[in-house]
Amino acid sequence: MKEKIELLMEETGCDRGEAELALEMCGYEVEEAVRRIPRLLRDICALKGKFLLPSKNQHGLVLVILNLKTRNVLRARAVMSYDPAVCAVGLDEEWFAFEKHLYGCRLWDGSLPAESLEVEQHLAAHFRAAPPETFERLREASSEVASKELAEPLRSLFGEGGLSVRLKKDILDLGQFQSLRKAPTPTARRDKPTPPVEPAEDLLVLKIALEEDLEGVPAPELRAGDLVFARIVDGRDIAKYLARLFGGLTASGPVPIEAPVEAVESVSDGVLVRVRFAVGVAGDVVVPADRRLKASRGGGRGDGSWWRRFFKG
């Protein structure tokens, strides 16, 4: 029993109490408990917000997703625009639908790409430097109280007392966050129950390049959850469209986008790295093993391969 608990803790990153509960629920079958754990860990906090700068008539959307247990920033997305229609999306939308709308707004007339990127970077830096008490408050806070946690870094960035912020806070379990879309509801039959259908993600993989740093992290030491700086160098039209959408393409060419590492795999000519840009969009690159990359450590734990995952939502 002790060995099963320790194995489950090691494989999933859960604590002892969560491991014991999962094993008890699954008849002490470790494999089933590994699949069940994501639904028990309600540690994901999604902050979906709208804000207005009255003095400049600028409207904005922000999406910040945090792991309250590990205190990691999983998402920091923003768009600013002169067009008030960007705020037409409802705060009750699920996080990935909200993110999709946010990205779409970046292509509208009146959008402010440089300012949007600045907001993203400022919010990410704010929450990475936040003390543990901030994450503890967010776990129990109402949406109204949580809006103050988001308004603080925005006011420090804009220096504007007239800033207004509206926010909706959702607490998700890990399985909800990893399930990027809902599974279709199977048609029930009286004579034979239909097993649940697991949703499949339509994934577009782009060609990318990673920023190097002589003092950075050695490529073989990258792990899932680390944050790297990726340039989209894919020549396809859809890739150029998405690069512009993500803020990674300007008039002077590709610019690096901060993105989380999803998986790392050793290959014959180096290290194969996959990063995640958004729902349904990832990037792949093979990096020579002797290179060092500009990266910051995350707290995520990966299995090293994106086709062999324990957590599939």
Side-chain angles (χ1 to χ4, degrees):
M1 177 63 178
K2 181 179 178 182
E3 291 77 8
K4 289 184 177 182
I5 292 174
E6 291 176 350
L7 176 61
L8 190 57
M9 291 171 63
E10 179 184 352
E11 294 296 344
T12 66
C14 67
D15 60 33
R16 181 171 294 275
E18 292 163 342
E20 291 175 351
L21 176 60
L23 285 169
E24 184 177 345
M25 292 174 61
C26 301
Y28 300 96
E29 292 290 335
V30 175
E31 185 176 350
E32 178 62 26
V34 167
R35 287 194 289 266
R36 188 72 66 88
I37 276 287
R39 293 299 182 184
L40 300 179
L41 305 181
R42 293 186 60 80
D43 296 317
I44 307 300
C45 176
L47 303 176
K48 299 167 292 183
K50 305 178 183 182
F51 65 91
L52 170 65
L53 294 175
S55 64
K56 299 180 180 179
N57 195 31
Q58 293 176 354
H59 306 260
L61 296 176
V62 293
L63 172 67
V64 177
I65 302 182
L66 308 168
N67 187 319
L68 300 179
K69 183 177 180 180
T70 63
R71 300 194 289 276
N72 283 343
V73 180
L74 305 179
R75 288 282 198 287
R77 304 288 187 248
V79 64
M80 289 187 64
S81 176
Y82 288 111
D83 187 349
V86 300
C87 293
V89 64
L91 292 177
D92 289 327
E93 291 281 356
E94 296 190 70
W95 72 265
F96 51 86
F98 189 87
E99 182 182 52
K100 182 178 179 181
H101 175 82
L102 185 155
Y103 277 132
C105 292
R106 290 183 174 182
L107 296 179
W108 294 3
D109 291 338
S111 68
L112 302 166
E115 290 84 348
S116 301
L117 184 60
E118 186 179 11
V119 172
E120 288 186 356
Q121 294 173 342
H122 187 76
L123 289 175
H126 171 81
F127 283 104
R128 287 189 194 119
E133 294 78 16
T134 297
F135 297 87
E136 293 168 7
R137 285 197 302 270
L138 282 172
R139 186 181 293 277
E140 303 299 333
S142 64
S143 292
E144 182 178 356
V145 172
S147 68
K148 298 177 182 178
E149 297 288 351
L150 194 65
E152 178 185 341
L154 290 176
R155 287 198 175 97
S156 70
L157 174 63
F158 298 121
E160 182 165 331
L163 173 77
S164 64
V165 178
R166 292 175 54 208
L167 179 138
K168 174 72 163 54
K169 186 199 84 170
D170 293 333
I171 294 292
L172 313 173
D173 61 51
L174 187 59
Q176 286 175 305
F177 177 66
Q178 292 170 332
S179 298
L180 301 180
R181 60 189 64 184
K182 293 181 179 178
T185 304
T187 303
R189 293 178 56 185
R190 293 183 181 180
D191 56 339
K192 185 178 181 181
T194 305
V197 178
E198 187 174 278
E201 181 188 5
D202 296 326
L203 186 64
L204 175 65
V205 180
L206 307 177
K207 182 180 178 182
I208 62 171
L210 298 181
E211 293 287 286
E212 297 185 11
D213 183 346
L214 293 177
E215 303 297 324
V217 178
E221 295 181 16
L222 277 181
R223 61 173 182 252
D226 290 347
L227 292 170
V228 294
F229 291 82
R231 294 174 184 262
I232 298 175
V233 295
D234 198 309
R236 292 175 291 174
D237 289 341
I238 183 63
K240 294 176 182 177
Y241 170 83
L242 290 170
R244 183 185 170 202
L245 194 66
F246 299 153
L249 183 62
T250 66
S252 57
V255 295
I257 308 168
E258 190 177 32
V261 173
E262 185 170 71
V264 180
E265 191 82 12
S266 295
V267 293
S268 59
D269 49 351
V271 180
L272 178 60
V273 181
R274 170 163 290 184
V275 306
R276 173 69 71 157
F277 292 114
V279 177
V281 185
D284 279 2
V285 62
V286 175
V287 182
D290 60 349
R291 302 295 172 82
R292 288 179 174 266
L293 302 172
K294 184 178 180 182
S296 58
R297 287 299 190 191
R301 184 186 186 280
D303 64 357
S305 172
W306 52 83
W307 59 85
R308 294 191 301 271
R309 292 189 189 171
F310 284 116
F311 302 140
K312 295 182 180 178

